[in-house]
Amino acid sequence: MALSPRLEFRQAQSLTLTPQLMQSIKLLQLSHLELNDFVDLELLRNPLLEREDGSEGSDAEPVEVPDRQTELSAYEDTVAQGERTKDAAEIAEGYDTAVENVFPDAAPHDIGVTNGPDRGGSFEGGEAPDLDQFVASKPKLSDHLETQAQMLLRTPADRLIGQHLIDGLNEAGYLTVELDAVAELLGAELGDVEAVLGALQTCDPIGIFARSVSECMALQLRERDRLDPMMQRLLDNLALVAEHNLAGLMKIVGCDREDLADMLGELRLLDPRPGLAFDSAPIESVVPDVFVRSGPDGGWQIELNTETLPRVLVNRVYYAEVTKKTRDTAEKSFLSDCLATANWLTKSLDQRAQTITKVAAEIVKQQDGFLTHGVAHLKPMTLKMVAEEIEMHESTVSRVTANKYMATPRGLYEMKYFFTTALASSTGGGDHSAEAVRHRIKQLIDAEPANDILSDDTIAELLRKEQGIDVARRTVAKYREGMNIPSSVIRRRQKKALQKIA
């Protein structure tokens, strides 16, 4: 058979991910903060996009501003009825200081404070000073220590070493760099670095620049004149303190039970992380993406949090006006691409909102027992179970539930929280959720008496007999360790120690 080239026609189907489709998939897994950042970038790139509130140059009607003279006249009438105003001089006199200290941005002769209709009062001779300039700010740990180091360290060499040690602190105030590494880096003697460290360890807050928890507590106890040999031996054996091994501690420290209780009480008054008092990182609260509320008919109402959703519009009027005036082919192509991108973005945002609502509704439907009765009734649920009900792919459900939070009558939960593995039932009934099993294990351990501590085998047996949950001992141990609950041996020591101290 001779081999020769030839042409053949074949028909086949294939799925191709276009760039816009890939971007739409990416939008599903973005949190509301990331989504707003993405939309802000698109607003900068695309002149045809604008926010629905009209912040991007929409033709909103101007707001009518009341007449200033009318407001002032009304205010003067109010003052005449008995309200008393103060000028800057009176305010400064009340604080026993100069006018410049109260209002540093303006001279004493041109400031007149009138608590008029404007919020914060009106200021004669210029705008009011920014009140944010007078709000006390929380000092940073590095700045606080650098100020003290300038007074403690005399020579430039010591100050240079001190600066490197300050830079080597973590957020809790512990020194994370080795002294010999600092000495080698700066070409200094190890003794000089140790001397600088000793001076810096006297800085406020006490306990700073420690290299371990025991050293941090020792610095604080030394400041209180309570670091005696017995206390030092106790600090050298903090591992036994964590295990509540009172018998071993009394033998090593050389004290009786009463003295040991007093020393442990002093340790509880110390701060093992002194640097956190200067943590100035802003606290970011979790904002729910979906609200779940009780309905009037006994069901549940699912509502998207519209405040977290960016709302954008396509300015077709602007597009029509610009396309009429332009003659350049490149400009027309650019405008066409912008219009297509704008249309795609608005459709993608709407589709994203609908998908989140659909997934959230299915989660609420399957976890009705949890919402009604609590975590003990949380059912095992997988991505596949939700995907089959709403006729979507598992990967889509996974992306939708990533970085999303649901506010329920039971509290605020990440949507991933409701997806748990199943544990078989020993009675042949329905499976049990792993999260519900963890909750039951915690309840059993919290209720155990000090003279009858439950082992992992006992907990597994109780779950099998009382709850019908077929769980192995190693599974109980894994769940217990995941909740940071110590073993039965340590729990027995802890509860007996608490009883004896009490």
Side-chain angles (χ1 to χ4, degrees):
M1 181 178 179
L3 297 177
S4 60
R6 61 181 179 179
L7 295 176
E8 291 184 355
F9 291 97
R10 293 183 181 179
Q11 186 176 3
Q13 292 182 345
S14 62
L15 180 62
T16 303
L17 291 178
T18 63
Q20 289 187 345
L21 181 58
M22 295 176 62
Q23 195 68 262
S24 299
I25 295 175
K26 182 181 178 181
L27 290 181
L28 288 175
Q29 62 188 9
L30 296 181
S31 64
H32 67 272
L33 294 176
E34 296 170 337
L35 181 63
N36 278 279
D37 291 340
F38 175 80
V39 172
D40 288 340
L41 289 176
E42 290 296 323
L43 289 170
L44 293 176
R45 297 172 184 171
N46 197 329
L48 301 182
L49 278 175
E50 61 181 22
R51 288 195 179 274
E52 190 173 347
D53 55 7
S55 60
E56 291 295 323
S58 63
D59 299 328
E61 295 183 0
V63 180
E64 183 179 355
V65 181
D67 182 39
R68 180 66 175 169
Q69 186 61 37
T70 304
E71 288 187 350
L72 290 177
S73 300
Y75 171 66
E76 289 173 358
D77 294 339
T78 305
V79 173
Q81 294 175 1
E83 290 192 4
R84 181 172 177 271
T85 61
K86 290 185 178 182
D87 58 12
E90 292 177 351
I91 294 176
E93 183 179 356
Y95 287 100
D96 192 20
T97 184
V99 178
E100 298 86 2
N101 296 331
V102 182
F103 303 101
D105 290 348
H109 63 274
D110 61 7
I111 297 182
V113 182
T114 305
N115 293 327
D118 288 342
R119 279 192 303 177
S122 61
F123 289 77
E124 298 177 2
E127 296 182 355
D130 188 2
L131 293 180
D132 293 339
Q133 299 177 2
F134 307 102
V135 177
S137 60
K138 199 172 183 179
K140 293 182 179 180
L141 177 62
S142 58
D143 297 338
H144 182 68
L145 295 175
E146 287 172 2
T147 302
Q148 301 178 70
Q150 293 295 325
M151 297 183 291
L152 290 173
L153 306 177
R154 301 295 183 183
T155 64
D158 290 347
R159 291 177 178 176
L160 181 61
I161 296 174
Q163 185 61 51
H164 276 74
L165 295 179
I166 293 174
D167 294 338
L169 294 178
N170 61 13
E171 61 180 6
Y174 286 87
L175 189 65
T176 59
V177 295
E178 299 293 337
L179 298 186
D180 52 357
V182 176
E184 182 180 357
L185 177 64
L186 301 179
E189 297 293 335
L190 181 59
D192 296 337
V193 178
E194 293 176 347
V196 172
L197 176 61
L200 292 179
Q201 285 181 341
T202 63
C203 292
D204 177 73
I206 301 301
I208 209 76
F209 289 100
R211 287 157 289 184
S212 63
V213 177
S214 59
E215 185 180 9
C216 177
M217 293 184 172
L219 293 173
Q220 298 178 52
L221 290 171
R222 184 182 293 115
E223 178 69 15
R224 302 181 182 187
D225 196 20
R226 284 293 296 120
L227 188 61
D228 51 29
M230 292 177 59
M231 185 66 77
Q232 185 61 56
R233 288 194 293 270
L234 179 62
L235 293 178
D236 294 337
N237 296 274
L238 288 179
L240 297 180
V241 177
E243 297 175 1
H244 286 259
N245 190 352
L246 300 185
L249 284 173
M250 288 187 293
K251 182 177 180 180
I252 294 175
V253 176
C255 64
D256 55 17
R257 187 176 300 276
E258 184 177 356
D259 291 336
L260 181 61
D262 293 339
M263 289 190 290
L264 292 176
E266 291 185 21
L267 291 185
R268 295 189 185 97
L269 299 177
L270 305 179
D271 185 5
R273 294 179 291 273
L276 294 183
F278 293 83
D279 185 12
S280 58
I283 300 177
E284 297 183 359
S285 58
V286 176
V287 179
D289 298 271
V290 181
F291 293 105
V292 179
R293 301 183 177 91
S294 300
D297 56 349
W300 301 101
Q301 292 180 343
I302 293 90
E303 179 185 356
L304 281 178
N305 187 359
T306 56
E307 295 182 358
T308 64
L309 297 177
R311 289 173 285 185
V312 294
L313 298 175
V314 182
N315 196 336
R316 301 183 184 276
V317 177
Y318 176 72
Y319 172 76
E321 293 178 354
V322 175
T323 51
K324 290 178 181 178
K325 299 177 181 179
T326 184
R327 295 292 183 268
D328 187 68
T329 306
E331 293 179 359
K332 289 185 177 182
S333 177
F334 171 75
L335 291 173
S336 299
D337 292 341
C338 289
L339 181 62
T341 304
N343 290 330
W344 160 81
L345 181 60
T346 54
K347 292 179 181 178
S348 297
L349 292 176
D350 182 65
Q351 185 178 7
R352 177 183 181 273
Q354 294 179 10
T355 307
I356 293 176
T357 305
K358 185 181 294 186
V359 173
E362 184 59 31
I363 292 175
V364 170
K365 178 182 176 181
Q366 297 197 25
Q367 298 296 350
D368 177 73
F370 164 78
L371 297 174
T372 305
H373 304 289
V375 68
H377 296 266
L378 188 66
K379 296 180 180 179
M381 187 176 66
T382 61
L383 296 173
K384 183 178 180 180
M385 295 169 60
V386 176
E388 290 178 350
E389 291 294 330
I390 62 177
E391 297 181 352
M392 288 186 178
H393 197 270
E394 294 180 43
S395 61
T396 303
V397 178
S398 177
R399 290 185 177 93
V400 169
T401 54
N403 305 316
K404 310 293 189 308
Y405 291 86
M406 181 184 295
T408 70
R410 293 284 171 183
L412 182 64
Y413 296 92
E414 189 178 7
M415 294 179 72
K416 288 285 188 182
Y417 170 82
F418 299 98
F419 295 90
T420 59
T421 56
L423 295 178
S425 174
S426 59
T427 59
D431 294 338
H432 300 271
S433 169
E435 190 63 31
V437 175
R438 291 189 187 94
H439 178 70
R440 183 55 185 157
I441 291 174
K442 188 176 186 305
Q443 285 183 331
L444 291 173
I445 293 177
D446 291 341
E448 64 183 3
N451 57 356
D452 189 15
I453 300 299
L454 301 176
S455 64
D456 294 338
D457 288 318
T458 305
I459 294 175
E461 187 66 23
L462 289 175
L463 292 175
R464 190 176 297 107
K465 290 181 178 180
E466 298 179 0
Q467 306 291 328
I469 303 173
D470 189 8
V471 59
R473 183 205 62 82
R474 60 180 179 274
T475 305
V476 174
K478 181 180 70 173
Y479 290 171
R480 174 180 54 77
E481 293 173 356
M483 294 183 290
N484 295 323
I485 299 176
S487 63
S488 58
V489 177
I490 298 179
R491 296 203 309 275
R492 183 178 294 107
R493 293 175 181 173
Q494 289 176 345
K495 295 192 176 184
K496 287 184 177 180
L498 291 176
Q499 282 185 341
K500 293 178 180 178
I501 292 176

